[in-house]
Each structure stands twice: as structure tokens, then as C-alpha cells.
Amino acid sequence: MVNWTNGYGNARYWVLKVLLDNFQPGDNIIKTSVGKAGTVQNPFCGEVLNLAPISLECISPSATIDKIIFASYGTPTGSCGSYAVGSCNAANSTAIVEKACLGKNNCTIEANTPVFGDPCRNVVKHLFVEAHCSTGGGQATGVGSNEPLYALAFTDHSGQNRRVLVVNKRHTAQSAVLENAGQGARVVMVEESRPVGPPITFNMTSDVLDLPPFAVAVVSMAA
């Protein structure tokens, strides 16, 4: 991680240093999701990778989720409207989603083995859901396996300071919207394209954070 000729650290060195400088024992991890809102339609679908939450919502405030057309935690296949159970499937998937969502305007389900059990060990699992709203349309929001960004939020032991770790997993530039970050949030960013030298630091001027390919950033905000 260090160039033995000039003593400069590479990107891996600086990522480690940024993490050590910004996160301490006793910090509180905040449930964080990264995803894009799905298309508003009826029925509507959502897909998430294991260990991620999925949220279902009817757009009309007076509407409720009145039917779970499909639900499978395991290795489901197909696309919205033509989902199929795969070789690995938690038999209780539909019942669990129905209990969490039917009759509600919105709901959130954790896609993990404590909720659904483990239908197949040592296999990467997903949760696919197709739902219907009583009126209007609905949408699902969650963390897909192909999301280009990873994020995890923390507060310090006092709860007065918030920090968000944001990682661009792609070789192309990405933009992240950090709700309520506002102007003045401080960013420390390591860019993979910078072979040597310390990370760049700057203050955000909006809620949008632009990340170069494979960049790692820590955003610090007041609570």
C-alpha cells in the first residue's frame, strides 16, 4: 500500500486511513439503503439482494396493498409479470410478505434468513415480490444486486454527528443523492485514478455527490 521508492501511499492506503480517521469504536450503525424508486404501475414489482430491505408503497395515500401476486426468497427467475420460483425457495415467502404488507399503504420487509429461514445454504439469495394496490399504482424501492453504489451511515456516540460512507462500485462515474445533506456537508474522497497523494476534501453545495470511478467517500454532516 506504500511506494517504497517515494514513501507515498496508494489509493488502498488512503481508503484505510480515511476509515480509521472517521469511524471510531462506539459509533452507531444506521440502517442504510441505496436504490432507485421503481416504476409506478399496477401491479408493481421489486427485487432485492439478500440482507437488504425492500419497501412497497401505493402512490395514493388512500390506497392499500390488497394482493401479493408473487413472492419468493431464494433464487427466483424471470421479470416483472412473469416471475417464477427457482430451485431454491422459502416456502413461507408469500405468507411473510402478505402478513407484513396486506391492508397497508406501505411496508418494508428485510430479505434475510432470520425472517425467511435459509432455504439453501451457501447460495446467494434474492427476494422478488409482485404486488397490487387497491387503487392507482405502486412502486418498490430496494437494493438490487446491480446497484452501482454502496452506502452505510453512522452517528457518533453522542448522536450529534452523522457520517455516510459511500462507495462507487463501478468503473464509470456515478452520482449519489444524500437526502438532507444540504450545503456545507464535508466530503473526504479517495479517487482510484489518483496514484499517490492524500484524499481530496471539499464541501457539498447540494444534496448530490458526484463520485469518479471506484471512488470512496465519507460525508460528514451535523445531526
Side-chain angles (χ1 to χ4, degrees):
M1 294 192 295
V2 176
N3 186 312
W4 293 105
T5 301
N6 55 31
Y8 292 134
N10 61 16
R12 292 182 180 179
Y13 167 86
W14 288 109
V15 167
L16 180 59
K17 188 175 190 307
V18 166
L19 295 177
L20 291 173
D21 288 347
N22 285 276
F23 304 109
Q24 306 296 328
D27 286 352
N28 300 304
I29 298 176
I30 307 300
K31 183 186 293 185
T32 312
S33 63
V34 180
K36 300 177 181 179
T39 303
V40 176
Q41 56 187 19
N42 210 19
F44 62 100
C45 300
E47 305 173 7
V48 291
L49 183 64
N50 187 43
L51 302 180
I54 184 171
S55 295
L56 311 178
E57 180 182 14
C58 297
I59 300 304
S60 171
S62 61
T64 60
I65 299 170
D66 61 0
K67 187 176 183 180
I68 301 301
I69 300 170
F70 180 91
S72 175
Y73 175 73
T75 56
T77 61
S79 57
C80 186
S82 58
Y83 286 147
V85 172
S87 58
C88 170
N89 174 61
N92 57 357
S93 298
T94 299
I96 289 174
V97 176
E98 286 179 339
K99 183 177 180 180
C101 300
L102 286 183
K104 299 179 181 178
N105 175 262
N106 60 83
C107 62
T108 299
I109 308 104
E110 297 286 342
N112 55 41
T113 53
V115 174
F116 291 92
D118 193 347
C120 46
R121 294 185 179 276
N122 302 318
V123 173
V124 176
K125 290 171 278 288
H126 292 75
L127 173 62
F128 286 12
V129 178
E130 182 177 359
H132 185 274
C133 289
S134 57
T135 59
Q139 65 180 7
T141 304
V143 183
S145 59
N146 63 344
E147 287 294 344
L149 299 175
Y150 169 84
L152 190 62
F154 300 79
T155 60
D156 62 14
H157 64 280
S158 69
Q160 297 301 308
N161 297 293
R162 298 178 296 159
R163 293 182 177 89
V164 182
L165 171 67
V166 186
V167 179
N168 180 3
K169 301 185 292 183
R170 296 291 178 81
H171 66 281
T172 55
Q174 303 290 330
S175 295
V177 178
L178 281 68
E179 294 184 4
N180 303 317
Q183 295 185 1
R186 179 175 175 270
V187 179
V188 180
M189 182 183 296
V190 178
E191 299 180 8
E192 189 268 346
S193 60
R194 289 166 56 92
V196 296
I200 61 172
T201 60
F202 58 93
N203 291 334
M204 293 182 64
T205 57
S206 70
D207 287 348
V208 179
L209 175 63
D210 295 319
L211 295 104
F214 301 117
V216 177
V218 174
V219 183
S220 299
M221 300 170 281

Short mmCIF file of all heavy atoms in Angstrom, two decimals, residues 22-85:
data_model
loop_
_atom_site.label_atom_id
_atom_site.label_comp_id
_atom_site.label_asym_id
_atom_site.label_seq_id
_atom_site.Cartn_x
_atom_site.Cartn_y
_atom_site.Cartn_z
N ASN A 22 -12.26 8.47 10.47
CA ASN A 22 -13.65 8.94 10.53
C ASN A 22 -14.60 8.06 11.32
O ASN A 22 -15.69 8.50 11.68
CB ASN A 22 -14.20 9.13 9.12
CG ASN A 22 -13.64 10.35 8.43
OD1 ASN A 22 -14.15 11.46 8.62
ND2 ASN A 22 -12.58 10.17 7.66
N PHE A 23 -14.22 6.81 11.58
CA PHE A 23 -15.11 5.90 12.30
C PHE A 23 -14.38 5.34 13.51
O PHE A 23 -13.24 4.91 13.40
CB PHE A 23 -15.59 4.79 11.37
CG PHE A 23 -16.26 5.30 10.13
CD1 PHE A 23 -15.64 5.20 8.89
CD2 PHE A 23 -17.51 5.92 10.20
CE1 PHE A 23 -16.25 5.69 7.75
CE2 PHE A 23 -18.12 6.42 9.06
CZ PHE A 23 -17.50 6.31 7.84
N GLN A 24 -15.07 5.39 14.65
CA GLN A 24 -14.46 5.01 15.91
C GLN A 24 -15.28 3.94 16.61
O GLN A 24 -16.49 3.81 16.38
CB GLN A 24 -14.33 6.25 16.82
CG GLN A 24 -13.61 7.43 16.21
CD GLN A 24 -12.16 7.13 15.90
OE1 GLN A 24 -11.52 6.36 16.60
NE2 GLN A 24 -11.64 7.74 14.83
N PRO A 25 -14.65 3.17 17.52
CA PRO A 25 -15.42 2.23 18.35
C PRO A 25 -16.51 2.98 19.11
O PRO A 25 -16.28 4.07 19.62
CB PRO A 25 -14.37 1.65 19.30
CG PRO A 25 -13.08 1.80 18.56
CD PRO A 25 -13.20 3.09 17.80
N GLY A 26 -17.70 2.42 19.14
CA GLY A 26 -18.82 3.08 19.80
C GLY A 26 -19.74 3.84 18.87
O GLY A 26 -20.82 4.27 19.28
N ASP A 27 -19.33 4.01 17.62
CA ASP A 27 -20.22 4.64 16.64
C ASP A 27 -21.44 3.74 16.41
O ASP A 27 -21.35 2.52 16.52
CB ASP A 27 -19.50 4.86 15.31
CG ASP A 27 -18.49 5.99 15.35
OD1 ASP A 27 -18.46 6.71 16.37
OD2 ASP A 27 -17.72 6.15 14.38
N ASN A 28 -22.55 4.37 16.09
CA ASN A 28 -23.79 3.64 15.87
C ASN A 28 -24.05 3.48 14.37
O ASN A 28 -24.03 4.47 13.63
CB ASN A 28 -24.97 4.37 16.51
CG ASN A 28 -24.80 4.53 18.00
OD1 ASN A 28 -24.61 3.56 18.71
ND2 ASN A 28 -24.85 5.77 18.48
N ILE A 29 -24.28 2.25 13.93
CA ILE A 29 -24.59 2.00 12.53
C ILE A 29 -26.07 2.26 12.29
O ILE A 29 -26.92 1.80 13.04
CB ILE A 29 -24.24 0.56 12.13
CG1 ILE A 29 -22.74 0.31 12.30
CG2 ILE A 29 -24.68 0.27 10.69
CD1 ILE A 29 -22.33 -1.11 12.00
N ILE A 30 -26.38 3.03 11.27
CA ILE A 30 -27.75 3.37 10.92
C ILE A 30 -28.16 2.56 9.69
O ILE A 30 -27.40 2.45 8.72
CB ILE A 30 -27.89 4.88 10.60
CG1 ILE A 30 -27.33 5.72 11.76
CG2 ILE A 30 -29.35 5.22 10.34
CD1 ILE A 30 -28.01 5.49 13.08
N LYS A 31 -29.36 1.96 9.76
CA LYS A 31 -29.85 1.21 8.60
C LYS A 31 -29.85 2.12 7.37
O LYS A 31 -30.43 3.20 7.38
CB LYS A 31 -31.25 0.68 8.86
CG LYS A 31 -31.80 -0.18 7.73
CD LYS A 31 -33.25 -0.56 7.98
CE LYS A 31 -33.37 -1.48 9.15
NZ LYS A 31 -34.77 -1.96 9.31
N THR A 32 -29.20 1.67 6.34
CA THR A 32 -28.99 2.49 5.15
C THR A 32 -29.37 1.70 3.91
O THR A 32 -29.01 0.52 3.79
CB THR A 32 -27.51 2.91 5.03
OG1 THR A 32 -27.06 3.42 6.28
CG2 THR A 32 -27.34 3.97 3.95
N SER A 33 -30.11 2.31 3.02
CA SER A 33 -30.44 1.64 1.77
C SER A 33 -30.07 2.52 0.60
O SER A 33 -30.10 3.74 0.68
CB SER A 33 -31.93 1.29 1.70
OG SER A 33 -32.72 2.45 1.72
N VAL A 34 -29.66 1.88 -0.46
CA VAL A 34 -29.31 2.57 -1.69
C VAL A 34 -30.15 1.96 -2.79
O VAL A 34 -30.15 0.75 -2.98
CB VAL A 34 -27.83 2.40 -2.04
CG1 VAL A 34 -27.50 3.13 -3.33
CG2 VAL A 34 -26.95 2.91 -0.91
N GLY A 35 -30.87 2.78 -3.48
CA GLY A 35 -31.69 2.22 -4.56
C GLY A 35 -32.45 3.30 -5.29
O GLY A 35 -32.49 4.45 -4.88
N LYS A 36 -33.05 2.89 -6.34
CA LYS A 36 -33.85 3.79 -7.14
C LYS A 36 -35.31 3.40 -7.02
O LYS A 36 -35.65 2.22 -6.97
CB LYS A 36 -33.42 3.73 -8.62
CG LYS A 36 -31.96 4.13 -8.83
CD LYS A 36 -31.59 3.98 -10.29
CE LYS A 36 -30.13 4.34 -10.54
NZ LYS A 36 -29.75 4.18 -11.96
N ALA A 37 -36.15 4.37 -6.99
CA ALA A 37 -37.58 4.07 -6.93
C ALA A 37 -37.99 3.36 -8.21
O ALA A 37 -37.57 3.70 -9.31
CB ALA A 37 -38.38 5.34 -6.76
N GLY A 38 -38.80 2.33 -8.06
CA GLY A 38 -39.25 1.59 -9.23
C GLY A 38 -40.31 2.35 -10.01
O GLY A 38 -40.80 3.39 -9.58
N THR A 39 -40.64 1.81 -11.15
CA THR A 39 -41.67 2.42 -11.98
C THR A 39 -43.03 2.30 -11.31
O THR A 39 -43.37 1.27 -10.76
CB THR A 39 -41.70 1.71 -13.35
OG1 THR A 39 -40.41 1.80 -13.94
CG2 THR A 39 -42.73 2.33 -14.26
N VAL A 40 -43.81 3.37 -11.36
CA VAL A 40 -45.16 3.35 -10.79
C VAL A 40 -46.07 2.60 -11.75
O VAL A 40 -46.25 3.01 -12.90
CB VAL A 40 -45.69 4.78 -10.57
CG1 VAL A 40 -47.12 4.73 -10.06
CG2 VAL A 40 -44.80 5.52 -9.58
N GLN A 41 -46.63 1.48 -11.30
CA GLN A 41 -47.53 0.69 -12.12
C GLN A 41 -48.37 -0.19 -11.20
O GLN A 41 -48.16 -0.23 -10.00
CB GLN A 41 -46.74 -0.17 -13.12
CG GLN A 41 -45.71 -1.07 -12.47
CD GLN A 41 -44.83 -1.77 -13.50
OE1 GLN A 41 -44.75 -1.35 -14.64
NE2 GLN A 41 -44.19 -2.84 -13.09
N ASN A 42 -49.33 -0.87 -11.78
CA ASN A 42 -50.20 -1.74 -11.01
C ASN A 42 -50.58 -2.95 -11.86
O ASN A 42 -51.26 -2.78 -12.87
CB ASN A 42 -51.47 -0.98 -10.59
CG ASN A 42 -52.03 -1.48 -9.27
OD1 ASN A 42 -51.33 -2.13 -8.50
ND2 ASN A 42 -53.27 -1.18 -9.01
N PRO A 43 -50.09 -4.16 -11.50
CA PRO A 43 -49.24 -4.48 -10.35
C PRO A 43 -47.85 -3.87 -10.51
O PRO A 43 -47.48 -3.40 -11.57
CB PRO A 43 -49.18 -6.01 -10.39
CG PRO A 43 -50.32 -6.44 -11.26
CD PRO A 43 -50.46 -5.35 -12.27
N PHE A 44 -47.07 -3.95 -9.42
CA PHE A 44 -45.70 -3.44 -9.45
C PHE A 44 -44.77 -4.46 -8.80
O PHE A 44 -45.20 -5.34 -8.07
CB PHE A 44 -45.60 -2.09 -8.74
CG PHE A 44 -45.95 -2.14 -7.28
CD1 PHE A 44 -44.96 -2.18 -6.30
CD2 PHE A 44 -47.28 -2.13 -6.86
CE1 PHE A 44 -45.28 -2.22 -4.95
CE2 PHE A 44 -47.61 -2.15 -5.50
CZ PHE A 44 -46.61 -2.20 -4.55
N CYS A 45 -43.48 -4.35 -9.10
CA CYS A 45 -42.53 -5.37 -8.67
C CYS A 45 -41.29 -4.76 -8.02
O CYS A 45 -40.94 -3.60 -8.26
CB CYS A 45 -42.08 -6.21 -9.86
SG CYS A 45 -43.43 -7.08 -10.70
N GLY A 46 -40.63 -5.58 -7.22
CA GLY A 46 -39.38 -5.18 -6.61
C GLY A 46 -38.48 -6.39 -6.43
O GLY A 46 -38.95 -7.51 -6.23
N GLU A 47 -37.16 -6.14 -6.53
CA GLU A 47 -36.17 -7.21 -6.38
C GLU A 47 -35.03 -6.69 -5.52
O GLU A 47 -34.53 -5.59 -5.74
CB GLU A 47 -35.61 -7.62 -7.75
CG GLU A 47 -36.66 -8.02 -8.76
CD GLU A 47 -36.07 -8.25 -10.14
OE1 GLU A 47 -34.81 -8.24 -10.26
OE2 GLU A 47 -36.84 -8.43 -11.10
N VAL A 48 -34.63 -7.49 -4.52
CA VAL A 48 -33.50 -7.11 -3.68
C VAL A 48 -32.60 -8.29 -3.42
O VAL A 48 -33.03 -9.45 -3.45
CB VAL A 48 -33.94 -6.51 -2.33
CG1 VAL A 48 -34.60 -5.16 -2.50
CG2 VAL A 48 -34.85 -7.46 -1.57
N LEU A 49 -31.35 -7.98 -3.16
CA LEU A 49 -30.37 -8.98 -2.81
C LEU A 49 -30.49 -9.32 -1.33
O LEU A 49 -30.97 -8.51 -0.53
CB LEU A 49 -28.98 -8.43 -3.11
CG LEU A 49 -27.76 -9.33 -2.88
CD1 LEU A 49 -27.80 -10.53 -3.81
CD2 LEU A 49 -26.48 -8.53 -3.12
N ASN A 50 -30.06 -10.50 -0.97
CA ASN A 50 -30.07 -10.94 0.43
C ASN A 50 -29.42 -9.89 1.34
O ASN A 50 -28.46 -9.23 0.96
CB ASN A 50 -29.29 -12.26 0.54
CG ASN A 50 -29.38 -12.86 1.92
OD1 ASN A 50 -30.44 -12.87 2.53
ND2 ASN A 50 -28.27 -13.36 2.43
N LEU A 51 -29.97 -9.73 2.54
CA LEU A 51 -29.51 -8.80 3.58
C LEU A 51 -29.92 -7.36 3.32
O LEU A 51 -29.45 -6.45 4.00
CB LEU A 51 -27.99 -8.87 3.79
CG LEU A 51 -27.43 -10.24 4.16
CD1 LEU A 51 -25.92 -10.17 4.34
CD2 LEU A 51 -28.08 -10.76 5.43
N ALA A 52 -30.79 -7.14 2.35
CA ALA A 52 -31.25 -5.79 2.04
C ALA A 52 -32.76 -5.68 2.28
O ALA A 52 -33.48 -6.65 2.16
CB ALA A 52 -30.94 -5.44 0.59
N PRO A 53 -33.22 -4.47 2.63
CA PRO A 53 -34.67 -4.28 2.78
C PRO A 53 -35.33 -3.93 1.46
O PRO A 53 -34.70 -3.34 0.58
CB PRO A 53 -34.75 -3.10 3.75
CG PRO A 53 -33.52 -2.29 3.43
CD PRO A 53 -32.46 -3.28 3.03
N ILE A 54 -36.60 -4.29 1.32
CA ILE A 54 -37.39 -3.86 0.18
C ILE A 54 -38.63 -3.16 0.71
O ILE A 54 -39.24 -3.61 1.69
CB ILE A 54 -37.79 -5.04 -0.73
CG1 ILE A 54 -38.54 -4.54 -1.97
CG2 ILE A 54 -38.62 -6.08 0.02
CD1 ILE A 54 -38.77 -5.61 -3.02
N SER A 55 -38.97 -2.02 0.13
CA SER A 55 -40.14 -1.25 0.55
C SER A 55 -41.16 -1.22 -0.58
O SER A 55 -40.81 -0.94 -1.73
CB SER A 55 -39.74 0.18 0.92
OG SER A 55 -38.89 0.19 2.05
N LEU A 56 -42.40 -1.51 -0.24
CA LEU A 56 -43.51 -1.47 -1.19
C LEU A 56 -44.42 -0.33 -0.80
O LEU A 56 -44.73 -0.15 0.39
CB LEU A 56 -44.28 -2.79 -1.18
CG LEU A 56 -43.48 -4.08 -1.30
CD1 LEU A 56 -44.41 -5.29 -1.24
CD2 LEU A 56 -42.66 -4.11 -2.58
N GLU A 57 -44.90 0.43 -1.77
CA GLU A 57 -45.73 1.59 -1.44
C GLU A 57 -46.76 1.85 -2.52
O GLU A 57 -46.44 1.85 -3.72
CB GLU A 57 -44.86 2.83 -1.26
CG GLU A 57 -45.64 4.09 -0.92
CD GLU A 57 -44.76 5.31 -0.79
OE1 GLU A 57 -43.58 5.23 -1.22
OE2 GLU A 57 -45.23 6.34 -0.28
N CYS A 58 -48.01 2.10 -2.11
CA CYS A 58 -49.05 2.56 -3.03
C CYS A 58 -48.94 4.08 -3.11
O CYS A 58 -48.81 4.77 -2.08
CB CYS A 58 -50.43 2.15 -2.54
SG CYS A 58 -50.69 0.36 -2.47
N ILE A 59 -49.01 4.61 -4.31
CA ILE A 59 -48.80 6.05 -4.50
C ILE A 59 -49.94 6.86 -3.90
O ILE A 59 -49.72 7.89 -3.27
CB ILE A 59 -48.65 6.38 -6.00
CG1 ILE A 59 -47.43 5.64 -6.55
CG2 ILE A 59 -48.50 7.87 -6.21
CD1 ILE A 59 -46.14 5.91 -5.82
N SER A 60 -51.18 6.41 -4.06
CA SER A 60 -52.31 7.13 -3.47
C SER A 60 -52.32 6.90 -1.96
O SER A 60 -52.27 5.76 -1.49
CB SER A 60 -53.62 6.63 -4.07
OG SER A 60 -54.72 7.18 -3.36
N PRO A 61 -52.40 7.98 -1.15
CA PRO A 61 -52.41 7.82 0.30
C PRO A 61 -53.57 6.98 0.81
O PRO A 61 -53.47 6.37 1.88
CB PRO A 61 -52.51 9.26 0.80
CG PRO A 61 -51.99 10.11 -0.31
CD PRO A 61 -52.40 9.40 -1.56
N SER A 62 -54.67 6.93 0.05
CA SER A 62 -55.84 6.18 0.49
C SER A 62 -55.81 4.73 0.02
O SER A 62 -56.66 3.93 0.41
CB SER A 62 -57.12 6.85 -0.01
OG SER A 62 -57.15 6.89 -1.43
N ALA A 63 -54.85 4.38 -0.83
CA ALA A 63 -54.77 3.03 -1.37
C ALA A 63 -54.04 2.10 -0.42
O ALA A 63 -53.23 2.53 0.40
CB ALA A 63 -54.07 3.04 -2.72
N THR A 64 -54.34 0.83 -0.53
CA THR A 64 -53.64 -0.18 0.27
C THR A 64 -53.17 -1.31 -0.63
O THR A 64 -53.70 -1.53 -1.72
CB THR A 64 -54.55 -0.76 1.36
OG1 THR A 64 -55.70 -1.37 0.74
CG2 THR A 64 -55.01 0.31 2.33
N ILE A 65 -52.17 -2.02 -0.17
CA ILE A 65 -51.71 -3.21 -0.88
C ILE A 65 -52.73 -4.31 -0.63
O ILE A 65 -52.93 -4.73 0.51
CB ILE A 65 -50.32 -3.62 -0.38
CG1 ILE A 65 -49.31 -2.49 -0.64
CG2 ILE A 65 -49.86 -4.93 -1.04
CD1 ILE A 65 -47.97 -2.68 0.03
N ASP A 66 -53.43 -4.74 -1.68
CA ASP A 66 -54.53 -5.69 -1.49
C ASP A 66 -54.22 -7.09 -2.00
O ASP A 66 -55.03 -8.01 -1.84
CB ASP A 66 -55.81 -5.16 -2.13
CG ASP A 66 -55.69 -4.94 -3.64
OD1 ASP A 66 -54.60 -5.20 -4.20
OD2 ASP A 66 -56.68 -4.52 -4.26
N LYS A 67 -53.05 -7.26 -2.63
CA LYS A 67 -52.72 -8.59 -3.12
C LYS A 67 -51.22 -8.74 -3.33
O LYS A 67 -50.57 -7.84 -3.86
CB LYS A 67 -53.45 -8.87 -4.44
CG LYS A 67 -53.31 -10.31 -4.94
CD LYS A 67 -54.12 -10.54 -6.20
CE LYS A 67 -54.03 -11.99 -6.67
NZ LYS A 67 -54.82 -12.24 -7.89
N ILE A 68 -50.67 -9.85 -2.88
CA ILE A 68 -49.30 -10.22 -3.19
C ILE A 68 -49.38 -11.31 -4.25
O ILE A 68 -49.76 -12.45 -3.99
CB ILE A 68 -48.54 -10.73 -1.94
CG1 ILE A 68 -48.53 -9.66 -0.86
CG2 ILE A 68 -47.13 -11.15 -2.30
CD1 ILE A 68 -47.87 -8.34 -1.26
N ILE A 69 -49.08 -10.94 -5.46
CA ILE A 69 -49.21 -11.84 -6.59
C ILE A 69 -48.09 -12.87 -6.60
O ILE A 69 -48.31 -14.05 -6.93
CB ILE A 69 -49.23 -11.04 -7.90
CG1 ILE A 69 -50.43 -10.07 -7.90
CG2 ILE A 69 -49.27 -11.96 -9.13
CD1 ILE A 69 -50.39 -9.07 -9.03
N PHE A 70 -46.90 -12.44 -6.22
CA PHE A 70 -45.75 -13.36 -6.20
C PHE A 70 -44.77 -12.90 -5.13
O PHE A 70 -44.57 -11.70 -4.92
CB PHE A 70 -45.04 -13.36 -7.56
CG PHE A 70 -43.84 -14.27 -7.63
CD1 PHE A 70 -43.97 -15.59 -8.05
CD2 PHE A 70 -42.58 -13.82 -7.25
CE1 PHE A 70 -42.87 -16.43 -8.10
CE2 PHE A 70 -41.48 -14.65 -7.31
CZ PHE A 70 -41.61 -15.97 -7.73
N ALA A 71 -44.19 -13.85 -4.46
CA ALA A 71 -43.10 -13.57 -3.52
C ALA A 71 -42.23 -14.80 -3.41
O ALA A 71 -42.74 -15.91 -3.24
CB ALA A 71 -43.63 -13.16 -2.15
N SER A 72 -40.94 -14.62 -3.52
CA SER A 72 -40.01 -15.74 -3.38
C SER A 72 -38.68 -15.25 -2.86
O SER A 72 -38.07 -14.34 -3.44
CB SER A 72 -39.79 -16.48 -4.71
OG SER A 72 -38.81 -17.49 -4.56
N TYR A 73 -38.24 -15.85 -1.75
CA TYR A 73 -36.92 -15.61 -1.20
C TYR A 73 -36.08 -16.85 -1.50
O TYR A 73 -36.39 -17.94 -1.03
CB TYR A 73 -36.99 -15.38 0.30
CG TYR A 73 -35.65 -15.23 0.97
CD1 TYR A 73 -34.89 -14.08 0.81
CD2 TYR A 73 -35.13 -16.25 1.78
CE1 TYR A 73 -33.66 -13.95 1.43
CE2 TYR A 73 -33.90 -16.13 2.39
CZ TYR A 73 -33.17 -14.97 2.22
OH TYR A 73 -31.93 -14.84 2.83
N GLY A 74 -35.07 -16.67 -2.32
CA GLY A 74 -34.25 -17.80 -2.75
C GLY A 74 -33.57 -17.46 -4.06
O GLY A 74 -32.81 -16.49 -4.13
N THR A 75 -33.89 -18.23 -5.10
CA THR A 75 -33.29 -17.97 -6.42
C THR A 75 -34.39 -17.84 -7.48
O THR A 75 -34.42 -18.60 -8.46
CB THR A 75 -32.32 -19.11 -6.80
OG1 THR A 75 -33.03 -20.37 -6.76
CG2 THR A 75 -31.14 -19.16 -5.86
N PRO A 76 -35.32 -16.90 -7.29
CA PRO A 76 -36.39 -16.72 -8.28
C PRO A 76 -35.84 -16.27 -9.62
O PRO A 76 -34.74 -15.72 -9.69
CB PRO A 76 -37.28 -15.66 -7.64
CG PRO A 76 -36.37 -14.89 -6.73
CD PRO A 76 -35.40 -15.91 -6.20
N THR A 77 -36.61 -16.49 -10.67
CA THR A 77 -36.18 -16.13 -12.01
C THR A 77 -37.27 -15.30 -12.69
O THR A 77 -38.37 -15.14 -12.16
CB THR A 77 -35.90 -17.39 -12.85
OG1 THR A 77 -37.12 -18.16 -12.96
CG2 THR A 77 -34.83 -18.24 -12.21
N GLY A 78 -36.96 -14.81 -13.87
CA GLY A 78 -37.94 -14.08 -14.66
C GLY A 78 -37.91 -12.59 -14.41
O GLY A 78 -37.06 -12.06 -13.70
N SER A 79 -38.89 -11.92 -15.02
CA SER A 79 -39.01 -10.47 -14.88
C SER A 79 -40.41 -10.13 -14.40
O SER A 79 -41.29 -11.01 -14.32
CB SER A 79 -38.72 -9.78 -16.22
OG SER A 79 -39.59 -10.28 -17.23
N CYS A 80 -40.62 -8.87 -14.06
CA CYS A 80 -41.90 -8.44 -13.50
C CYS A 80 -43.06 -8.87 -14.40
O CYS A 80 -43.07 -8.63 -15.60
CB CYS A 80 -41.90 -6.92 -13.35
SG CYS A 80 -43.37 -6.28 -12.50
N GLY A 81 -44.03 -9.54 -13.80
CA GLY A 81 -45.16 -10.06 -14.54
C GLY A 81 -45.01 -11.50 -14.95
O GLY A 81 -45.99 -12.15 -15.34
N SER A 82 -43.77 -12.00 -14.87
CA SER A 82 -43.54 -13.40 -15.25
C SER A 82 -42.51 -14.05 -14.33
O SER A 82 -41.68 -14.85 -14.77
CB SER A 82 -43.08 -13.50 -16.71
OG SER A 82 -41.89 -12.77 -16.92
N TYR A 83 -42.54 -13.67 -13.05
CA TYR A 83 -41.64 -14.29 -12.09
C TYR A 83 -41.94 -15.79 -11.96
O TYR A 83 -43.08 -16.22 -12.11
CB TYR A 83 -41.78 -13.64 -10.72
CG TYR A 83 -41.17 -12.26 -10.59
CD1 TYR A 83 -41.76 -11.31 -9.75
CD2 TYR A 83 -40.00 -11.91 -11.26
CE1 TYR A 83 -41.22 -10.04 -9.60
CE2 TYR A 83 -39.45 -10.65 -11.13
CZ TYR A 83 -40.06 -9.72 -10.29
OH TYR A 83 -39.50 -8.47 -10.13
N ALA A 84 -40.92 -16.55 -11.60
CA ALA A 84 -41.09 -17.98 -11.36
C ALA A 84 -40.19 -18.39 -10.20
O ALA A 84 -39.11 -17.83 -10.01
CB ALA A 84 -40.75 -18.80 -12.60
N VAL A 85 -40.65 -19.36 -9.44
CA VAL A 85 -39.86 -19.89 -8.33
C VAL A 85 -38.68 -20.67 -8.89
O VAL A 85 -38.81 -21.45 -9.84
CB VAL A 85 -40.73 -20.80 -7.44
CG1 VAL A 85 -39.89 -21.51 -6.40
CG2 VAL A 85 -41.82 -19.99 -6.76
#
